[in-house]
Amino acid sequence: MFARGLKRKSTEDAEDGDGGVAGVPAAPSYTLQRQSLLDMSLVKLQLCHMLVEPNLCRSVLIANTVRQIQEEMTQDGTWRVVAPQAAGRAPLDRLVSTEILCRSGREQEGEGDGPLPDPAPGQAPRRPQSSPWGLDGSREGRGGFQKSLDHIFETLENKTPGSVEELFSDVDSSYYDLDAVLTGMVGGAPSGPGLPAFAPAAAAPPSSTCRSDLGELEHAVEILVET
Amino acid sequence: MAADSSVDLHRPGVLTSHAFLSLPPTADIISTVEFNHTGELLATGDKGGRVVIFQREPESKNAPHSQGEYDVYSTFQSHEPEFDYLKSLEIEEKINKIKWLPQQNAAHSLLSTNDKTIKLWKITERDKRPEGYNLKDEEGKLKDLSTVTSLQVPVLKPMDLMVEVSPRRVFANGHTYHINSISVNSDCETYMSADDLRINLWHLAITDRSFNIVDIKPANMEDLTEVITASEFHPHHCNLFVYSSSKGSLRLCDMRAAALCDKHSKLFEEPEDPSNRSFFSEIISSVSDVKFSHSGRYMLTRDYLTVKVWDLNMEARPIETYQVHDYLRSKLCSLYENDCIFDKFECAWNGSDSVIMTGAYNNFFRMFDRNTKRDVTLEASRESSKPRAVLKPRRVCVGGKRRRDDISVDSLDFTKKILHTAWHPAENIIAIAATNNLYIFQDKVNSEMH
């Protein structure tokens, strides 16, 4: 019932191949545990209480844990993009988390600490107040965030072969940004007329209409907050 | 120190059940417990926004050995649920903290706070009422003047004691984030309130203004990695206060140094133990409570697995560390999964700063004697709390030899957590909040602090 607490292993240990510590049988289990911890943490971050403000301390601690795992995975080299074809064979829930995160990892390496490149029209530059714990005008941030999460859960349930394509086709590219996922920046832009280059697929999900509505509301709230 | 000082942990089980105050079944979960400065009054706040004050009955002359018991003195609704229309969010009415003001006249005053608003309440007693008005009759109706033939002087006659509570100040709109602590300054004129990212200084008489003295909000909220978890004024130096963070550090600030105390005077931080490093290291290092000792020389902090005593003169590491429930160290993953790892336990000093106390799971609470280095685990439960029952020490076994009454780690009830505890400022009386029950225990043998 109680799983063993995870311990970090230094890369030295991993190379030594010590039996039982970082030997082949132990390593996959550690990776699996770490992955499940990452998945669990993301779910925790995303389950916001809509009526009552989420606990900021808890959110910060969980986000820091996610960053730690991400850093370690980057060092281990397990933080890599998985080709969509190969990914299709992996279990869908694993796919959702690693694929999205791997994609964002790539983008992050490219940009460093600089501002995000602007891959799609209509994507606004980062605005601090749209993060889930930026309570100034957080409503739209959280709403957009919630939309991305709804999409994650939607895809998880929809275990059809076509779902992999859906996942990549009709979602804003900023969706893949790790920080965006963590901080609810998704859909933070007043999307308005400038919907991203990823045009909605034929099976346009309701989320894109909601997103433009959200954009208008967001614009209105922005005016309110800044006066 | 003398062996007979404070709670005698050489003879565990001396603590006796003083009162098991079961609040009515509809009562909410108790969210804070606080003795006043004399220990005569004990205030509790709950999740429903109510405050219940207990008063210690004076000792009976007939039975000098039986110390006064605590009875309900007053109950009032401090905070109501609110709705923030701009953000479409509910503001909970749960009372996060209560702090008593030092008594300056016949009335008692306390500050109570929820996530956003602090209120100052005045508690007064009325035990006399005027009788014999000339113009009004006994029911208060105006008399027919033609019936008034002589003048009388109204006199004060005794009446049944009435406790009146009135809100004197409402300190609103000072915080964007959730208030986690309030602390009254030793100058008795100001107090501070701390939320996740900011600390404000208020004057007790001024509600439309507060000074921001600490602000750790980053320019870009995405860079946020640390929040304020607790704060307290120094008991004697009105310019000093401490605040703790989610990364396990303590910052002592001096308000004389600058208007905005972002730069700490002292930073107390223990270096990480590399052998115990895990993904949960940061979470379990987050300080959930910080309390100055009565002497003002030390600070007590609580993190998930330990309580630590810090000397204000030494920033490098705590001078004492006590393990509260180290057997949980191997269960951190499960505790992270069920969110228990985020539980915020409080800690308390006894009046002479020789014993420290904190709560744990399974309705257990722990006491550590700093001088003898002995510790004891006790349970707050209905069985152990029949009047005058002597508390029996409990033990959690982690494998190996198991004694008859031991509890195994796997059968601990993690829904029964003792987050809030308080120690009488002068005597060996403790108040323990276990969900919606309040327990009061007293050490009858060693009731005086030495």
Side-chain angles (χ1 to χ4, degrees), chain B residues 175-313:
Chain B
H175 289 276
T176 307
Y177 304 98
H178 291 178
I179 297 173
N180 53 54
S181 8
I182 49 174
S183 178
V184 183
N185 202 342
S186 51
D187 66 9
C188 301
E189 282 186 357
T190 59
Y191 76 95
M192 70 164 159
S193 54
D195 65 32
D196 296 312
L197 299 179
R198 298 191 178 103
I199 303 182
N200 290 336
L201 182 72
W202 304 80
H203 191 286
L204 284 165
I206 300 171
T207 58
D208 61 355
R209 209 176 321 155
S210 73
F211 288 103
N212 176 240
I213 53 177
V214 174
D215 188 341
I216 64 167
K217 183 180 177 190
N220 190 343
M221 277 299 273
E222 287 156 20
D223 298 334
L224 181 65
T225 57
E226 193 173 9
V227 301
I228 297 169
T229 51
S231 68
E232 198 182 46
F233 266 120
H234 191 280
H236 310 309
H237 302 299
C238 57
N239 55 297
L240 288 180
F241 65 93
V242 69
Y243 70 91
S244 60
S245 85
S246 55
K247 288 201 172 173
S249 64
L250 298 171
R251 285 173 174 80
L252 187 72
C253 301
D254 188 334
M255 294 197 291
R256 296 173 304 189
L260 188 62
C261 301
D262 276 356
K263 204 157 167 287
H264 51 261
S265 295
K266 291 198 184 188
L267 172 65
F268 299 81
E269 222 171 14
E270 186 172 22
E272 202 172 15
D273 176 7
S275 65
N276 262 334
R277 186 92 178 82
S278 76
F279 285 120
F280 307 109
S281 294
E282 188 186 304
I283 301 178
I284 63 170
S285 74
S286 173
V287 174
S288 52
D289 193 18
V290 63
K291 294 262 171 47
F292 278 104
S293 64
H294 293 89
S295 62
R297 168 111 191 253
Y298 304 103
M299 294 182 297
L300 180 66
T301 59
R302 175 69 154 100
D303 50 65
Y304 192 62
L305 297 178
T306 70
V307 278
K308 296 179 173 149
V309 178
W310 302 77
D311 186 322
L312 252 61
N313 298 317

Side-chain angles (χ1 to χ4, degrees), chain A residues 6 41 44 51 64 126 133, chain B residues 90 221 278 282 336 339:
Chain A
L6 292 184
S41 303
K44 278 181 187 299
L51 275 181
N64 289 351
R126 292 178 172 219
W133 45 71
Chain B
E90 262 186 19
M221 277 299 273
S278 76
E282 188 186 304
Y336 179 74
D339 270 2

Side-chain angles (χ1 to χ4, degrees), chain B residues 129-133 138 153-158:
Chain B
R129 71 155 195 257
E131 274 179 27
Y133 282 112
E138 292 311 308
V153 177
V155 290
L156 290 173
K157 294 259 175 81

Side-chain angles (χ1 to χ4, degrees), chain B residues 119-142:
Chain B
K119 294 187 186 179
L120 174 66
W121 294 89
K122 190 160 162 182
I123 302 129
T124 47
E125 289 184 0
R126 190 194 291 270
D127 63 353
K128 294 182 183 54
R129 71 155 195 257
E131 274 179 27
Y133 282 112
N134 290 290
L135 299 176
K136 286 188 287 185
D137 65 18
E138 292 311 308
E139 277 96 57
K141 287 194 305 206
L142 286 172

Side-chain angles (χ1 to χ4, degrees), chain B residues 49-64:
Chain B
R50 267 194 336 164
V51 171
V52 181
I53 302 177
F54 300 89
Q55 184 188 42
R56 193 178 186 197
E57 296 306 317
E59 286 179 37
S60 159
K61 292 193 177 67
N62 300 331

Side-chain angles (χ1 to χ4, degrees), chain A residues 26-200:
Chain A
S29 140
Y30 172 77
T31 314
L32 259 166
Q33 277 192 313
R34 184 175 63 184
Q35 185 59 51
S36 100
L37 181 64
L38 181 62
D39 297 341
M40 196 200 308
S41 303
L42 286 174
V43 171
K44 278 181 187 299
L45 270 182
Q46 293 165 354
L47 286 174
C48 299
H49 300 279
M50 293 309 290
L51 275 181
V52 181
E53 278 176 273
N55 187 327
L56 185 60
C57 182
R58 182 175 169 273
S59 305
V60 166
L61 289 173
I62 298 172
N64 289 351
T65 309
V66 169
R67 278 196 198 98
Q68 274 184 60
I69 299 174
Q70 179 194 343
E71 270 171 31
E72 194 181 277
M73 286 173 88
T74 311
Q75 284 169 16
D76 284 355
T78 51
W79 191 264
R80 63 194 187 286
V81 180
V82 178
Q85 294 88 349
R89 276 172 254 139
L92 196 57
D93 49 354
R94 177 78 72 92
L95 166 72
V96 170
S97 50
T98 49
E99 179 53 51
I100 294 165
L101 296 171
C102 289
R103 194 63 91 86
S104 62
R106 262 300 139 103
E107 281 180 16
Q108 281 208 314
E109 278 162 34
E111 80 207 27
D113 283 315
L116 259 184
D118 197 4
Q123 182 169 349
R126 292 178 172 219
R127 281 177 308 146
Q129 57 263 38
S130 293
S131 46
W133 45 71
L135 299 174
D136 321 284
S138 69
R139 188 171 181 271
E140 70 277 19
R142 209 187 43 242
F145 192 50
Q146 189 64 25
K147 288 289 155 281
S148 70
L149 300 169
D150 288 347
H151 198 81
I152 288 180
F153 293 133
E154 257 172 54
T155 350
L156 280 174
E157 284 163 20
N158 184 12
K159 294 183 194 296
T160 60
S163 61
V164 173
E165 310 314 314
E166 251 175 29
L167 183 64
F168 295 104
S169 63
D170 53 29
V171 181
D172 186 22
S173 64
S174 68
Y175 179 59
Y176 295 109
D177 186 90
L178 172 65
D179 276 358
V181 172
L182 286 182
T183 61
M185 275 301 299
V186 183
S191 28
L195 276 174
F198 293 110

